[in-house]
Amino acid sequence: VSLIFGAAVGLSGDSSAKFIAVHEPYKFAAAEGIIHTQSHAPELIGGIAKSNSISGGIKIPGLLSFLTTGHTNGTVIGLDTYRVNARPSLVVHYFFDAMVFIGMFTIGWLVLYLLISWLKKGKPIRSRTLFIGLIFCGFLGLAGIEFGWLLTEFGRQPYVIHGIMLVSQASTRSHRAVTEGQIFPIFYVILFAFTIYVLKKNIKLTKDFDHDN
């Protein structure tokens, strides 16, 4: 089931990327690290983001153009189309890479589990590393969601509404909003600690009940 939904997320992500490439090309260019408008655009994996460029990384020639337009010679709009002060930060490339890595790792680990299960031919799987990896995939899924939000929010900078309203124009100057913004994370930390306490209490009561019976 996880593998099926993982593949569905991958297809959804591909569809979203194609949509962004058409309707928010500035965000797409920053996420993919495309500085100059070009055909045969490469897929950039990794690299170090600088102010106006990304150094290093692995480039797969023509792959980005193919994924975006269906043709290896398709044109991908770069950040050079926009004014320097209207471009999002290239730091979003890290968030995009993290999302892709999480998706590939999760699906790959699930495939590995199914492969080992098939090779075992119904015998119990006792690999501690394999099961820890499966548990870790759950946390990675949540991290992937957060990286997606970071990509969305950083990708529209410096605008709240691209080309219409800047973040500096939309942000509140109310001190009350800042105070309430600090209260929420404190509340959730307390709630998290209380949840752990209740769970441990219930586990202990369950063990005591089983022991008595």
Side-chain angles (χ1 to χ4, degrees), residues 9-41:
V9 169
L11 293 173
S12 173
D14 178 69
S15 176
S16 296
K18 286 181 170 61
F19 178 88
I20 292 173
V22 174
H23 299 282
E24 298 180 284
Y26 54 92
K27 182 185 295 183
F28 184 79
E32 295 285 0
I34 301 299
I35 309 301
H36 305 289
T37 300
Q38 57 189 289
S39 59
H40 299 89

PDB file of all heavy atoms in Angstrom, residues 9-41:
ATOM      1  N   VAL A   9       2.338   9.628  -5.299  1.00  0.00           N
ATOM      2  CA  VAL A   9       2.925  10.923  -4.920  1.00  0.00           C
ATOM      3  C   VAL A   9       3.943  11.366  -5.968  1.00  0.00           C
ATOM      4  O   VAL A   9       4.026  12.548  -6.321  1.00  0.00           O
ATOM      5  CB  VAL A   9       3.587  10.821  -3.526  1.00  0.00           C
ATOM      6  CG1 VAL A   9       4.434  12.064  -3.251  1.00  0.00           C
ATOM      7  CG2 VAL A   9       2.527  10.670  -2.455  1.00  0.00           C
ATOM      8  N   GLY A  10       4.727  10.409  -6.475  1.00  0.00           N
ATOM      9  CA  GLY A  10       5.702  10.740  -7.518  1.00  0.00           C
ATOM     10  C   GLY A  10       5.029  11.280  -8.773  1.00  0.00           C
ATOM     11  O   GLY A  10       5.484  12.276  -9.360  1.00  0.00           O
ATOM     12  N   LEU A  11       3.931  10.665  -9.188  1.00  0.00           N
ATOM     13  CA  LEU A  11       3.192  11.131 -10.365  1.00  0.00           C
ATOM     14  C   LEU A  11       2.573  12.507 -10.101  1.00  0.00           C
ATOM     15  O   LEU A  11       2.571  13.372 -10.982  1.00  0.00           O
ATOM     16  CB  LEU A  11       2.103  10.126 -10.726  1.00  0.00           C
ATOM     17  CG  LEU A  11       2.587   8.764 -11.235  1.00  0.00           C
ATOM     18  CD1 LEU A  11       1.411   7.804 -11.401  1.00  0.00           C
ATOM     19  CD2 LEU A  11       3.340   8.918 -12.552  1.00  0.00           C
ATOM     20  N   SER A  12       2.063  12.691  -8.881  1.00  0.00           N
ATOM     21  CA  SER A  12       1.491  13.985  -8.506  1.00  0.00           C
ATOM     22  C   SER A  12       2.565  15.068  -8.517  1.00  0.00           C
ATOM     23  O   SER A  12       2.325  16.193  -8.985  1.00  0.00           O
ATOM     24  CB  SER A  12       0.851  13.888  -7.124  1.00  0.00           C
ATOM     25  OG  SER A  12       0.423  15.157  -6.672  1.00  0.00           O
ATOM     26  N   GLY A  13       3.756  14.731  -7.998  1.00  0.00           N
ATOM     27  CA  GLY A  13       4.863  15.690  -7.986  1.00  0.00           C
ATOM     28  C   GLY A  13       5.286  16.084  -9.386  1.00  0.00           C
ATOM     29  O   GLY A  13       5.575  17.260  -9.656  1.00  0.00           O
ATOM     30  N   ASP A  14       5.316  15.102 -10.292  1.00  0.00           N
ATOM     31  CA  ASP A  14       5.680  15.395 -11.686  1.00  0.00           C
ATOM     32  C   ASP A  14       4.658  16.322 -12.321  1.00  0.00           C
ATOM     33  O   ASP A  14       5.012  17.277 -13.027  1.00  0.00           O
ATOM     34  CB  ASP A  14       5.775  14.079 -12.472  1.00  0.00           C
ATOM     35  CG  ASP A  14       6.103  14.310 -13.932  1.00  0.00           C
ATOM     36  OD1 ASP A  14       7.239  14.734 -14.230  1.00  0.00           O
ATOM     37  OD2 ASP A  14       5.223  14.075 -14.789  1.00  0.00           O
ATOM     38  N   SER A  15       3.372  16.079 -12.041  1.00  0.00           N
ATOM     39  CA  SER A  15       2.310  16.935 -12.578  1.00  0.00           C
ATOM     40  C   SER A  15       2.418  18.351 -12.022  1.00  0.00           C
ATOM     41  O   SER A  15       2.261  19.335 -12.760  1.00  0.00           O
ATOM     42  CB  SER A  15       0.945  16.333 -12.246  1.00  0.00           C
ATOM     43  OG  SER A  15      -0.100  17.176 -12.668  1.00  0.00           O
ATOM     44  N   SER A  16       2.710  18.451 -10.720  1.00  0.00           N
ATOM     45  CA  SER A  16       2.844  19.770 -10.086  1.00  0.00           C
ATOM     46  C   SER A  16       4.023  20.540 -10.658  1.00  0.00           C
ATOM     47  O   SER A  16       3.939  21.751 -10.884  1.00  0.00           O
ATOM     48  CB  SER A  16       3.019  19.607  -8.565  1.00  0.00           C
ATOM     49  OG  SER A  16       1.880  19.026  -7.983  1.00  0.00           O
ATOM     50  N   ALA A  17       5.137  19.835 -10.902  1.00  0.00           N
ATOM     51  CA  ALA A  17       6.324  20.487 -11.463  1.00  0.00           C
ATOM     52  C   ALA A  17       6.033  21.043 -12.855  1.00  0.00           C
ATOM     53  O   ALA A  17       6.461  22.156 -13.195  1.00  0.00           O
ATOM     54  CB  ALA A  17       7.479  19.492 -11.518  1.00  0.00           C
ATOM     55  N   LYS A  18       5.297  20.277 -13.656  1.00  0.00           N
ATOM     56  CA  LYS A  18       4.936  20.747 -15.007  1.00  0.00           C
ATOM     57  C   LYS A  18       4.036  21.978 -14.913  1.00  0.00           C
ATOM     58  O   LYS A  18       4.159  22.915 -15.715  1.00  0.00           O
ATOM     59  CB  LYS A  18       4.247  19.632 -15.788  1.00  0.00           C
ATOM     60  CG  LYS A  18       5.194  18.526 -16.264  1.00  0.00           C
ATOM     61  CD  LYS A  18       4.431  17.477 -17.053  1.00  0.00           C
ATOM     62  CE  LYS A  18       5.363  16.499 -17.749  1.00  0.00           C
ATOM     63  NZ  LYS A  18       6.212  15.729 -16.835  1.00  0.00           N
ATOM     64  N   PHE A  19       3.115  21.979 -13.946  1.00  0.00           N
ATOM     65  CA  PHE A  19       2.220  23.127 -13.753  1.00  0.00           C
ATOM     66  C   PHE A  19       3.020  24.366 -13.353  1.00  0.00           C
ATOM     67  O   PHE A  19       2.808  25.467 -13.886  1.00  0.00           O
ATOM     68  CB  PHE A  19       1.196  22.789 -12.674  1.00  0.00           C
ATOM     69  CG  PHE A  19       0.256  23.915 -12.353  1.00  0.00           C
ATOM     70  CD1 PHE A  19      -0.919  24.087 -13.071  1.00  0.00           C
ATOM     71  CD2 PHE A  19       0.543  24.815 -11.336  1.00  0.00           C
ATOM     72  CE1 PHE A  19      -1.781  25.135 -12.783  1.00  0.00           C
ATOM     73  CE2 PHE A  19      -0.307  25.863 -11.035  1.00  0.00           C
ATOM     74  CZ  PHE A  19      -1.476  26.023 -11.765  1.00  0.00           C
ATOM     75  N   ILE A  20       3.946  24.200 -12.396  1.00  0.00           N
ATOM     76  CA  ILE A  20       4.765  25.319 -11.922  1.00  0.00           C
ATOM     77  C   ILE A  20       5.645  25.855 -13.047  1.00  0.00           C
ATOM     78  O   ILE A  20       5.853  27.061 -13.164  1.00  0.00           O
ATOM     79  CB  ILE A  20       5.625  24.885 -10.719  1.00  0.00           C
ATOM     80  CG1 ILE A  20       4.724  24.606  -9.512  1.00  0.00           C
ATOM     81  CG2 ILE A  20       6.646  25.963 -10.357  1.00  0.00           C
ATOM     82  CD1 ILE A  20       5.462  24.018  -8.338  1.00  0.00           C
ATOM     83  N   ALA A  21       6.163  24.959 -13.888  1.00  0.00           N
ATOM     84  CA  ALA A  21       7.027  25.387 -14.996  1.00  0.00           C
ATOM     85  C   ALA A  21       6.299  26.335 -15.943  1.00  0.00           C
ATOM     86  O   ALA A  21       6.911  27.229 -16.541  1.00  0.00           O
ATOM     87  CB  ALA A  21       7.529  24.170 -15.761  1.00  0.00           C
ATOM     88  N   VAL A  22       4.974  26.160 -16.052  1.00  0.00           N
ATOM     89  CA  VAL A  22       4.181  27.004 -16.950  1.00  0.00           C
ATOM     90  C   VAL A  22       3.691  28.264 -16.248  1.00  0.00           C
ATOM     91  O   VAL A  22       3.794  29.372 -16.781  1.00  0.00           O
ATOM     92  CB  VAL A  22       2.977  26.206 -17.519  1.00  0.00           C
ATOM     93  CG1 VAL A  22       2.067  27.131 -18.328  1.00  0.00           C
ATOM     94  CG2 VAL A  22       3.462  25.056 -18.369  1.00  0.00           C
ATOM     95  N   HIS A  23       3.165  28.111 -15.025  1.00  0.00           N
ATOM     96  CA  HIS A  23       2.497  29.224 -14.342  1.00  0.00           C
ATOM     97  C   HIS A  23       3.379  29.971 -13.345  1.00  0.00           C
ATOM     98  O   HIS A  23       3.084  31.119 -13.008  1.00  0.00           O
ATOM     99  CB  HIS A  23       1.248  28.698 -13.628  1.00  0.00           C
ATOM    100  CG  HIS A  23       0.238  28.101 -14.553  1.00  0.00           C
ATOM    101  ND1 HIS A  23      -0.622  28.870 -15.309  1.00  0.00           N
ATOM    102  CD2 HIS A  23      -0.036  26.808 -14.869  1.00  0.00           C
ATOM    103  CE1 HIS A  23      -1.394  28.083 -16.041  1.00  0.00           C
ATOM    104  NE2 HIS A  23      -1.069  26.833 -15.798  1.00  0.00           N
ATOM    105  N   GLU A  24       4.439  29.328 -12.845  1.00  0.00           N
ATOM    106  CA  GLU A  24       5.373  29.987 -11.933  1.00  0.00           C
ATOM    107  C   GLU A  24       6.815  29.638 -12.328  1.00  0.00           C
ATOM    108  O   GLU A  24       7.554  29.031 -11.562  1.00  0.00           O
ATOM    109  CB  GLU A  24       5.116  29.552 -10.487  1.00  0.00           C
ATOM    110  CG  GLU A  24       3.748  29.917  -9.950  1.00  0.00           C
ATOM    111  CD  GLU A  24       3.556  29.461  -8.513  1.00  0.00           C
ATOM    112  OE1 GLU A  24       3.349  28.255  -8.308  1.00  0.00           O
ATOM    113  OE2 GLU A  24       3.636  30.315  -7.604  1.00  0.00           O
ATOM    114  N   PRO A  25       7.207  30.030 -13.548  1.00  0.00           N
ATOM    115  CA  PRO A  25       8.525  29.631 -14.054  1.00  0.00           C
ATOM    116  C   PRO A  25       9.695  30.141 -13.218  1.00  0.00           C
ATOM    117  O   PRO A  25      10.761  29.517 -13.198  1.00  0.00           O
ATOM    118  CB  PRO A  25       8.552  30.222 -15.470  1.00  0.00           C
ATOM    119  CG  PRO A  25       7.513  31.310 -15.464  1.00  0.00           C
ATOM    120  CD  PRO A  25       6.459  30.841 -14.525  1.00  0.00           C
ATOM    121  N   TYR A  26       9.519  31.280 -12.532  1.00  0.00           N
ATOM    122  CA  TYR A  26      10.586  31.822 -11.678  1.00  0.00           C
ATOM    123  C   TYR A  26      10.867  30.876 -10.515  1.00  0.00           C
ATOM    124  O   TYR A  26      12.022  30.622 -10.155  1.00  0.00           O
ATOM    125  CB  TYR A  26      10.178  33.203 -11.147  1.00  0.00           C
ATOM    126  CG  TYR A  26       8.846  33.215 -10.449  1.00  0.00           C
ATOM    127  CD1 TYR A  26       8.747  33.021  -9.076  1.00  0.00           C
ATOM    128  CD2 TYR A  26       7.664  33.391 -11.169  1.00  0.00           C
ATOM    129  CE1 TYR A  26       7.527  33.003  -8.437  1.00  0.00           C
ATOM    130  CE2 TYR A  26       6.429  33.370 -10.528  1.00  0.00           C
ATOM    131  CZ  TYR A  26       6.371  33.174  -9.168  1.00  0.00           C
ATOM    132  OH  TYR A  26       5.154  33.147  -8.539  1.00  0.00           O
ATOM    133  N   LYS A  27       9.797  30.323  -9.926  1.00  0.00           N
ATOM    134  CA  LYS A  27       9.952  29.366  -8.822  1.00  0.00           C
ATOM    135  C   LYS A  27      10.573  28.062  -9.340  1.00  0.00           C
ATOM    136  O   LYS A  27      11.443  27.469  -8.691  1.00  0.00           O
ATOM    137  CB  LYS A  27       8.598  29.081  -8.192  1.00  0.00           C
ATOM    138  CG  LYS A  27       8.654  28.131  -6.989  1.00  0.00           C
ATOM    139  CD  LYS A  27       7.267  27.793  -6.473  1.00  0.00           C
ATOM    140  CE  LYS A  27       6.551  28.996  -5.922  1.00  0.00           C
ATOM    141  NZ  LYS A  27       5.223  28.657  -5.338  1.00  0.00           N
ATOM    142  N   PHE A  28      10.123  27.624 -10.502  1.00  0.00           N
ATOM    143  CA  PHE A  28      10.637  26.394 -11.089  1.00  0.00           C
ATOM    144  C   PHE A  28      12.122  26.522 -11.408  1.00  0.00           C
ATOM    145  O   PHE A  28      12.913  25.611 -11.132  1.00  0.00           O
ATOM    146  CB  PHE A  28       9.854  26.081 -12.372  1.00  0.00           C
ATOM    147  CG  PHE A  28      10.237  24.782 -13.021  1.00  0.00           C
ATOM    148  CD1 PHE A  28       9.750  23.582 -12.527  1.00  0.00           C
ATOM    149  CD2 PHE A  28      11.085  24.764 -14.121  1.00  0.00           C
ATOM    150  CE1 PHE A  28      10.103  22.378 -13.133  1.00  0.00           C
ATOM    151  CE2 PHE A  28      11.436  23.564 -14.726  1.00  0.00           C
ATOM    152  CZ  PHE A  28      10.944  22.369 -14.234  1.00  0.00           C
ATOM    153  N   ALA A  29      12.510  27.673 -11.952  1.00  0.00           N
ATOM    154  CA  ALA A  29      13.914  27.903 -12.308  1.00  0.00           C
ATOM    155  C   ALA A  29      14.802  27.896 -11.067  1.00  0.00           C
ATOM    156  O   ALA A  29      15.912  27.333 -11.083  1.00  0.00           O
ATOM    157  CB  ALA A  29      14.060  29.224 -13.054  1.00  0.00           C
ATOM    158  N   ALA A  30      14.336  28.501  -9.994  1.00  0.00           N
ATOM    159  CA  ALA A  30      15.118  28.528  -8.752  1.00  0.00           C
ATOM    160  C   ALA A  30      15.229  27.134  -8.160  1.00  0.00           C
ATOM    161  O   ALA A  30      16.300  26.727  -7.689  1.00  0.00           O
ATOM    162  CB  ALA A  30      14.472  29.483  -7.756  1.00  0.00           C
ATOM    163  N   ALA A  31      14.134  26.385  -8.177  1.00  0.00           N
ATOM    164  CA  ALA A  31      14.143  25.032  -7.617  1.00  0.00           C
ATOM    165  C   ALA A  31      15.082  24.119  -8.393  1.00  0.00           C
ATOM    166  O   ALA A  31      15.791  23.295  -7.807  1.00  0.00           O
ATOM    167  CB  ALA A  31      12.730  24.457  -7.613  1.00  0.00           C
ATOM    168  N   GLU A  32      15.109  24.275  -9.700  1.00  0.00           N
ATOM    169  CA  GLU A  32      15.945  23.423 -10.541  1.00  0.00           C
ATOM    170  C   GLU A  32      17.350  23.986 -10.752  1.00  0.00           C
ATOM    171  O   GLU A  32      18.198  23.330 -11.353  1.00  0.00           O
ATOM    172  CB  GLU A  32      15.275  23.214 -11.905  1.00  0.00           C
ATOM    173  CG  GLU A  32      13.961  22.454 -11.852  1.00  0.00           C
ATOM    174  CD  GLU A  32      14.163  20.954 -11.623  1.00  0.00           C
ATOM    175  OE1 GLU A  32      15.320  20.529 -11.515  1.00  0.00           O
ATOM    176  OE2 GLU A  32      13.153  20.238 -11.559  1.00  0.00           O
ATOM    177  N   GLY A  33      17.590  25.200 -10.273  1.00  0.00           N
ATOM    178  CA  GLY A  33      18.913  25.806 -10.420  1.00  0.00           C
ATOM    179  C   GLY A  33      19.220  26.241 -11.844  1.00  0.00           C
ATOM    180  O   GLY A  33      20.383  26.220 -12.275  1.00  0.00           O
ATOM    181  N   ILE A  34      18.183  26.639 -12.608  1.00  0.00           N
ATOM    182  CA  ILE A  34      18.368  27.077 -13.995  1.00  0.00           C
ATOM    183  C   ILE A  34      18.529  28.595 -14.012  1.00  0.00           C
ATOM    184  O   ILE A  34      17.560  29.329 -13.788  1.00  0.00           O
ATOM    185  CB  ILE A  34      17.178  26.649 -14.883  1.00  0.00           C
ATOM    186  CG1 ILE A  34      17.029  25.133 -14.864  1.00  0.00           C
ATOM    187  CG2 ILE A  34      17.366  27.150 -16.313  1.00  0.00           C
ATOM    188  CD1 ILE A  34      18.222  24.379 -15.400  1.00  0.00           C
ATOM    189  N   ILE A  35      19.726  29.050 -14.255  1.00  0.00           N
ATOM    190  CA  ILE A  35      20.011  30.489 -14.244  1.00  0.00           C
ATOM    191  C   ILE A  35      19.670  31.120 -15.586  1.00  0.00           C
ATOM    192  O   ILE A  35      19.057  32.192 -15.651  1.00  0.00           O
ATOM    193  CB  ILE A  35      21.492  30.754 -13.899  1.00  0.00           C
ATOM    194  CG1 ILE A  35      21.899  29.997 -12.631  1.00  0.00           C
ATOM    195  CG2 ILE A  35      21.734  32.247 -13.752  1.00  0.00           C
ATOM    196  CD1 ILE A  35      21.096  30.335 -11.406  1.00  0.00           C
ATOM    197  N   HIS A  36      20.067  30.470 -16.672  1.00  0.00           N
ATOM    198  CA  HIS A  36      19.881  31.024 -18.015  1.00  0.00           C
ATOM    199  C   HIS A  36      18.814  30.236 -18.775  1.00  0.00           C
ATOM    200  O   HIS A  36      18.782  29.001 -18.710  1.00  0.00           O
ATOM    201  CB  HIS A  36      21.199  30.993 -18.799  1.00  0.00           C
ATOM    202  CG  HIS A  36      22.330  31.674 -18.097  1.00  0.00           C
ATOM    203  ND1 HIS A  36      22.391  33.047 -17.955  1.00  0.00           N
ATOM    204  CD2 HIS A  36      23.432  31.173 -17.481  1.00  0.00           C
ATOM    205  CE1 HIS A  36      23.484  33.373 -17.289  1.00  0.00           C
ATOM    206  NE2 HIS A  36      24.136  32.257 -16.984  1.00  0.00           N
ATOM    207  N   THR A  37      17.943  30.959 -19.490  1.00  0.00           N
ATOM    208  CA  THR A  37      16.956  30.317 -20.343  1.00  0.00           C
ATOM    209  C   THR A  37      17.676  29.497 -21.402  1.00  0.00           C
ATOM    210  O   THR A  37      18.592  29.987 -22.060  1.00  0.00           O
ATOM    211  CB  THR A  37      16.053  31.370 -21.007  1.00  0.00           C
ATOM    212  OG1 THR A  37      15.371  32.113 -19.988  1.00  0.00           O
ATOM    213  CG2 THR A  37      15.032  30.713 -21.917  1.00  0.00           C
ATOM    214  N   GLN A  38      17.272  28.249 -21.570  1.00  0.00           N
ATOM    215  CA  GLN A  38      18.020  27.362 -22.467  1.00  0.00           C
ATOM    216  C   GLN A  38      17.173  26.188 -22.939  1.00  0.00           C
ATOM    217  O   GLN A  38      16.198  25.802 -22.293  1.00  0.00           O
ATOM    218  CB  GLN A  38      19.258  26.827 -21.755  1.00  0.00           C
ATOM    219  CG  GLN A  38      18.958  26.083 -20.459  1.00  0.00           C
ATOM    220  CD  GLN A  38      20.196  25.738 -19.665  1.00  0.00           C
ATOM    221  OE1 GLN A  38      20.973  24.872 -20.059  1.00  0.00           O
ATOM    222  NE2 GLN A  38      20.380  26.430 -18.535  1.00  0.00           N
ATOM    223  N   SER A  39      17.567  25.633 -24.071  1.00  0.00           N
ATOM    224  CA  SER A  39      17.030  24.359 -24.525  1.00  0.00           C
ATOM    225  C   SER A  39      18.008  23.268 -24.087  1.00  0.00           C
ATOM    226  O   SER A  39      19.119  23.566 -23.631  1.00  0.00           O
ATOM    227  CB  SER A  39      16.873  24.359 -26.052  1.00  0.00           C
ATOM    228  OG  SER A  39      18.135  24.588 -26.673  1.00  0.00           O
ATOM    229  N   HIS A  40      17.593  22.015 -24.195  1.00  0.00           N
ATOM    230  CA  HIS A  40      18.422  20.896 -23.720  1.00  0.00           C
ATOM    231  C   HIS A  40      18.853  21.133 -22.255  1.00  0.00           C
ATOM    232  O   HIS A  40      20.006  20.858 -21.886  1.00  0.00           O
ATOM    233  CB  HIS A  40      19.663  20.704 -24.594  1.00  0.00           C
ATOM    234  CG  HIS A  40      19.339  20.388 -26.020  1.00  0.00           C
ATOM    235  ND1 HIS A  40      19.158  21.385 -26.976  1.00  0.00           N
ATOM    236  CD2 HIS A  40      19.163  19.209 -26.659  1.00  0.00           C
ATOM    237  CE1 HIS A  40      18.899  20.826 -28.147  1.00  0.00           C
ATOM    238  NE2 HIS A  40      18.876  19.510 -27.990  1.00  0.00           N
ATOM    239  N   ALA A  41      17.929  21.671 -21.462  1.00  0.00           N
ATOM    240  CA  ALA A  41      18.265  21.992 -20.065  1.00  0.00           C
ATOM    241  C   ALA A  41      18.558  20.712 -19.285  1.00  0.00           C
ATOM    242  O   ALA A  41      17.805  19.741 -19.363  1.00  0.00           O
ATOM    243  CB  ALA A  41      17.110  22.745 -19.410  1.00  0.00           C
TER     244      ALA A  41
END
